[in-house]
Amino acid sequence: MLNAVWVAVIVAVAFWAAGVSVAMYLMLKAGRLVTQTSAAISGLAERQDQLIDRANATIDRAGEQLAATSAITASMDEVTANMAELTGRMTALAPLARVIAASAGSPAAKVAALAYGVNRALWMRRPDGAQRGSRPAAVRPAAARPPAPGMKALPRPAAPGWRRAALGGQRDEAAS
């Protein structure tokens, strides 16, 4: 028969076995948790290295962009200086431009333009022999009409069957 001491011992052993089982279950869960935590930490360390490498690359590109920006700024400073110099020169030339613009419609300018035009027209109408450094008159085909007396003949394209000599400046009948 069982006495109260033995019942107490059996109950205590049962509670002790249940407690050990629960403790073992909790230790297994804690072991899995530690394994997963260490795996997550090693993954974060790898990603942290990649993140640091990308941040360094971004910083390097930013440094290159700053260098390019400083070069652009320097060239813009040069452009600004050149534009200031050009503005100064244009300001200095503005009175001259106003004088030229004002004199373009003046009577003296109109008379000079007319005199030049008349001189040019007379020069173009001079006979061939009266021109300085003129070439000999070109040989014309029999059907061609000579220019009016005192008029300069205008050059005409060669008629079919005629060609211009390479160096003589005269037309020869083409050899067929």
Side-chain angles (χ1 to χ4, degrees):
M1 303 224 321
L2 293 176
N3 64 15
V5 174
W6 282 104
V7 173
V9 169
I10 290 176
V11 171
V13 169
F15 277 115
W16 183 78
V20 168
S21 297
V22 169
M24 288 297 291
Y25 177 76
L26 291 175
M27 286 175 57
L28 285 174
K29 286 288 191 177
R32 286 186 203 151
L33 181 64
V34 167
T35 304
Q36 290 176 354
T37 304
S38 64
I41 289 173
S42 65
L44 285 174
E46 290 175 9
R47 282 192 256 154
Q48 178 185 9
D49 292 340
Q50 292 174 352
L51 182 63
I52 289 173
D53 291 341
R54 289 175 58 194
N56 286 336
T58 303
I59 290 170
D60 291 342
R61 281 184 291 187
E64 291 170 2
Q65 292 296 322
L66 285 173
T69 303
S70 64
I72 290 171
T73 303
S75 71
M76 288 304 294
D77 289 341
E78 184 179 334
V79 167
T80 302
N82 289 341
M83 289 302 292
E85 181 181 348
L86 180 63
T87 301
R89 290 186 181 187
M90 292 304 293
T91 303
L93 290 176
L96 177 62
R98 283 189 207 108
V99 168
I100 291 172
S103 67
S106 70
K110 290 178 182 177
V111 169
L114 178 66
Y116 173 78
V118 169
N119 185 23
R120 178 80 175 149
L122 289 176
W123 180 84
M124 290 179 72
R125 294 177 63 95
R126 286 185 183 165
D128 285 339
Q131 292 181 359
R132 284 182 249 147
S134 63
R135 295 186 296 187
V139 176
R140 292 175 181 74
R145 201 173 86 202
M151 299 294 282
K152 178 180 174 184
L154 296 174
R156 293 184 185 156
W162 290 81
R163 65 178 169 83
R164 185 174 292 269
L167 298 175
Q170 297 180 357
R171 293 182 183 157
D172 297 331
E173 212 173 302
S176 301

